[in-house]
Amino acid sequence: ALDRFEAALNVSEDNQSAWLWRAMALTDMGRFDDALASYDRALALEPDSAGVWNNKGSLLMELNRLESALTCFERALELAAPVSTVRAVYWLNRGKALYMMGRYAEARDALTHSHELEPSPESAAGIAACLERLEGSAKE
């Protein structure tokens, strides 16, 4: 697949979709720095693409670059269309990053927002995990 995306880019380096798909293929291959560079190229072409911001944030979260991931998720939420299922995913990802940062109250709020938009087992589990952490810290 990577060869096809690179062939498309050889035809036109202004193909934002090819940069996005190239980034996802590189992520699957474990070439994370190259994937991040491809996300940046896609964003240079379409800086208001909420989906690209979310995808880049997901990769940064996997790389434990949580502050940068959170910034990406927040940008995705600023740009997201009002479609509740899409916004729910962005809120879910924001909540995950906040949880990983130990910011449990903020994570709970983000996950609750996600769950209100589109209930899911993942958001419910995240809310429960946040509550457990918050109650545990209150007892100490």
Side-chain angles (χ1 to χ4, degrees):
L2 181 62
D3 292 339
R4 290 187 181 179
F5 304 132
E6 291 189 346
L9 291 168
N10 286 333
V11 173
S12 172
E13 287 191 4
D14 294 336
N15 185 335
Q16 186 264 0
S17 293
W19 284 111
L20 171 61
W21 284 100
R22 181 179 187 269
M24 291 187 289
L26 289 166
T27 298
D28 289 345
M29 297 169 68
R31 293 174 50 190
F32 304 125
D33 290 334
D34 293 334
L36 288 170
S38 289
Y39 281 128
D40 288 340
R41 289 294 299 268
L43 288 168
L45 293 168
E46 268 187 58
D48 293 340
S49 175
V52 177
W53 281 107
N54 183 68
N55 286 357
K56 180 180 178 184
S58 294
L59 174 56
L60 288 166
M61 187 168 55
E62 290 297 317
L63 297 174
N64 207 34
R65 294 169 56 182
L66 301 176
E67 287 291 341
S68 296
L70 185 59
T71 299
C72 289
F73 296 140
E74 289 171 352
R75 186 70 179 133
L77 281 164
E78 289 170 10
L79 298 168
V83 178
S84 63
T85 54
V86 172
R87 293 185 67 78
V89 170
Y90 299 166
W91 278 108
L92 179 70
N93 286 338
R94 183 178 189 276
K96 287 181 193 177
L98 288 164
Y99 183 89
M100 292 172 70
M101 297 167 76
R103 293 166 57 180
Y104 303 119
E106 291 173 86
R108 177 205 56 216
D109 294 346
L111 293 164
T112 299
H113 201 85
S114 173
H115 198 74
E116 289 169 350
L117 290 170
E118 185 75 23
S120 74
E122 189 173 10
S123 59
I127 293 165
C130 289
L131 292 173
E132 185 177 299
R133 292 289 184 153
L134 290 167
E135 290 168 4
S137 65
K139 292 178 184 175
E140 294 173 3

